[in-house]
Amino acid sequence: GFISMLGAFSMILISNQQIPTRMLVGPVALSIFFAGCLYIFLMPLLSSFVGLGAMIFAATFGICYRYSTPQKAINRAIALAMFVITISVSNQQSYSFLSVANTALMFSLLFLLLGAITAYIPFRPGPERSVLRFLRRYFRSAAVLLAAERPQSTEPPTRRVCFHQREVAGLPSKMQVWVAMADPALLGARSVQELPVLIGKLHVTSYRLQALQEARALPQSQQLAVLVGDMQSWREKLIEALERLAADPGDYEILQRANLENKLRGLEARIVQALDAATGEALSEEHRENLYSLLGAYRGMSESLLDLARSLEHIDWQPWYEERFAWPGLP
């Protein structure tokens, strides 16, 4: 029983890492006590399936009614699971107080293991640690996508590119779960209020990066090869800024010092000059559309990152790096 429950609760906690293990101790203890009273005092008096079925229905209805709100879905699931485990219905029914005592002891050891040991491995708990870790992963994946070779529209992306695309697309939603757990008393009220805005801007940046990847895959005219150097210079500056942010998300000034807006204006001027100086066969309508799609993607990416830098500036990052002692059951 201990081995099977350890696996089940481990999967639950891995899927909901923002839930402290100590929050499950109360519902489990209360559920075992409730089911134990039914098992010891009521079930020995039942002599037919009708009585057993009525008892199971009444207990299930009471648990679901008590924890009917969506916020108490986990409590409801735990109470129902503990009820089934504790009463141990079988064809050859037997009753023993040791069964309830062993179940209670099993879950005491289980939560001691999960809450006091594995909850701190491989990462320390806490919203600030998790958000910082996700931010570093986000900026690191964004830098990898920008540094990747120009994708071809006719070829599927590599596994490495697919992995980082999934990271950039999914990490803001993962951060949003932890943002709701942030403590204003520790991290600052203004910083906590800015976190939902930061998550929204990260979503926008993800969309802009996806649009840039798609625009880079479009075929471009060979007459505009002179612009490759300017685009590469813009990307190198941006990759450097993202790598710095991956090391320290609080270093938002790197985006402001990268002069992305000035480089983009220079790139636009070069494009106009290249189009005016184009000789021979005129650019096709498709190539013109592809070129302006690429330029729009560059501009959108620059604007979203500069907007993201302004949001990072409003957060006081010093409390996020402070060491704190935390242990289950202690404030």
Side-chain angles (χ1 to χ4, degrees), residues 232-244:
Q232 182 65 24
S233 176
W234 180 91
R235 288 174 53 219
E236 289 176 354
K237 281 289 185 181
L238 191 54
I239 291 170
E240 179 186 357
L242 290 173
E243 288 176 348
R244 290 277 298 274

Side-chain angles (χ1 to χ4, degrees), residues 105-315:
L105 178 61
M106 175 182 69
F107 282 97
S108 300
L109 296 175
L110 186 148
F111 284 116
L112 178 64
L113 177 63
L114 291 179
I117 301 176
T118 58
Y120 289 75
I121 301 173
F123 304 109
R124 287 187 56 188
E128 65 278 6
R129 300 293 179 182
S130 299
V131 171
L132 280 176
R133 188 172 70 253
F134 287 144
L135 275 176
R136 292 190 178 103
R137 286 170 53 184
Y138 180 91
F139 290 127
R140 190 179 303 114
S141 294
V144 170
L145 290 178
L146 282 176
E149 295 295 330
R150 179 175 177 268
Q152 300 295 327
S153 57
T154 58
E155 298 179 0
T158 63
R159 292 183 179 180
R160 182 169 180 263
V161 171
C162 288
F163 169 77
H164 289 290
Q165 287 176 343
R166 187 164 55 251
E167 285 280 274
V168 170
L171 283 175
S173 298
K174 294 180 180 179
M175 278 185 274
Q176 192 169 5
V177 177
W178 285 98
V179 163
M181 309 293 291
D183 188 357
L186 296 178
L187 305 177
R190 184 182 179 185
S191 298
V192 172
Q193 292 175 359
E194 188 66 24
L195 289 177
V197 180
L198 174 64
I199 300 300
K201 293 180 179 179
L202 288 173
H203 278 294
V204 173
T205 304
S206 299
Y207 297 143
R208 298 293 190 185
L209 183 56
Q210 180 183 359
L212 179 59
Q213 291 294 104
E214 295 173 354
R216 290 181 62 201
L218 297 174
Q220 301 292 340
S221 173
Q222 296 297 328
Q223 299 184 22
L224 300 177
V226 293
L227 302 175
V228 173
D230 296 274
M231 295 181 180
Q232 182 65 24
S233 176
W234 180 91
R235 288 174 53 219
E236 289 176 354
K237 281 289 185 181
L238 191 54
I239 291 170
E240 179 186 357
L242 290 173
E243 288 176 348
R244 290 277 298 274
L245 285 172
D248 181 12
D251 190 11
Y252 54 86
E253 295 181 355
I254 187 64
L255 287 172
Q256 300 169 347
R257 294 195 302 266
N259 294 324
L260 299 178
E261 192 66 26
N262 293 336
K263 285 188 172 294
L264 196 59
R265 290 198 187 98
L267 179 59
E268 291 174 346
R270 291 291 304 276
I271 288 176
V272 172
Q273 294 175 4
L275 290 175
D276 293 339
T279 59
E281 183 181 356
L283 291 177
S284 65
E285 189 67 24
E286 179 186 3
H287 283 158
R288 287 180 180 273
E289 291 178 358
N290 293 346
L291 175 61
Y292 284 113
S293 296
L294 182 61
L295 180 60
Y298 276 116
R299 172 163 288 282
M301 189 68 186
S302 298
E303 291 177 350
S304 65
L305 284 173
L306 291 175
D307 194 29
L308 182 62
R310 287 188 287 270
S311 186
L312 293 172
E313 185 179 4
H314 293 156
I315 298 176

